[in-house]
Amino acid sequence: MGNLYEDALPPATGERFDTLLSHQGLVIERIVSTSRIESQEYVQEQDEWVLLLTGEATLEVAGRKVPLKAGDYLFLPARTPHTVQKVSDGALWLAVHLHGRNA
């Protein structure tokens, strides 16, 4: 048992990734962001579904600008380049990673 909002203060800089569940190739993370981030491109080997619970963000996904507001979700297929370009302080995300059978 846990609480998604417990200890959800943003870090001083960047983002904090907290694993909430890891089971048979499924990983669920809570991501807490600060507005002070360095844009970093991610290209992951697994599919990812991400939900912005609170705040606002702008991502670049495969060269396309994607604005997000609280409640918006997005599916990122494996090997899709994506970058968080801008995010509001204290933004809270839920990320679901779908790894292959042998993960």
Side-chain angles (χ1 to χ4, degrees), residues 35-86:
S35 59
R36 294 168 299 284
I37 62 166
E38 281 188 38
S39 291
Q40 175 183 345
E41 183 178 73
Y42 294 95
V43 181
Q44 300 168 163
E45 291 302 313
Q46 73 276 0
D47 292 331
E48 179 181 12
W49 179 86
V50 65
L51 165 65
L52 183 59
L53 295 164
T54 62
E56 297 179 347
T58 302
L59 275 62
E60 182 178 313
V61 179
R64 186 179 60 123
K65 186 176 178 178
V66 180
L68 299 171
K69 64 183 182 315
D72 289 342
Y73 58 87
L74 180 65
F75 179 69
L76 300 163
R79 295 175 288 289
T80 300
H82 58 284
T83 304
V84 178
Q85 293 184 323
K86 184 178 178 182

Side-chain angles (χ1 to χ4, degrees), residues 3-10 16 18 30 32 92:
N3 186 297
L4 187 65
Y5 299 104
E6 190 174 294
D7 190 28
L9 293 175
R16 188 178 72 242
D18 302 316
R30 173 182 70 177
V32 184
L92 185 62

